[in-house]
Amino acid sequence: MSSIADVLATLFYEVDNARMILLRIGFPASRIPAFSNAMVFWSKVVSDIDNGVIVGTSRTLVEEALRMYPANSELRAILDGSPSPGAPTSGHASNPADGQKLVRLSQFISSAVDLSELKALLTELDNSIVLDLSWNAPMSTVALDCVKLLQRRGLLGDRFFELLERKLPARRDDIDVLRR
């Protein structure tokens, strides 16, 4: 049977996809390792998870990967051969539809605003978010990190969408769809 890191390196070999699955299971954005080689990256991630960086175990990560690749026999084999985890799994994005909604929102943000506009919107909402994000990453990564952070802090509510509509009045219909 392949190791967890081997299978994940095969499935999530691009940085944006790797970051997305980690954020979906509640892995702290600030703790995501640098991505230069998929195998090294996933080995470090699995080690960090097994050392307690999230509530849950490496099984949590495999379960999320299986939601994204439901017919993957290697992921299924890892789960079938793994003992039941002792720690509870994280509540972050446990419903795949919730994760998809967050990804759609982050994609909208990355295409609709630039970094300075996003900073201005977040400053108005909660300035601490601006301080907690890494602004040196590609816009798609910043937007996804932003949405996940807003979700964890309970700030993806009416006030956020009202600010977004005020900044982008021509996109009100799109924003209404994302709000649901």
Side-chain angles (χ1 to χ4, degrees), residues 99-120:
Q100 292 166 1
K101 180 179 178 182
L102 295 177
V103 169
R104 280 194 306 274
L105 178 58
S106 71
Q107 290 169 338
F108 173 80
I109 290 170
S110 69
S111 68
V113 299
D114 62 26
L115 284 174
S116 62
E117 292 169 323
L118 182 58
K119 281 183 183 179

Side-chain angles (χ1 to χ4, degrees), residues 136-156:
N136 296 327
M139 182 59 181
S140 60
T141 302
V142 172
L144 184 58
D145 290 348
C146 169
V147 168
K148 293 299 286 183
L149 188 57
L150 290 168
Q151 181 198 35
R152 279 195 299 273
R153 294 189 182 176
L155 296 172
L156 275 181

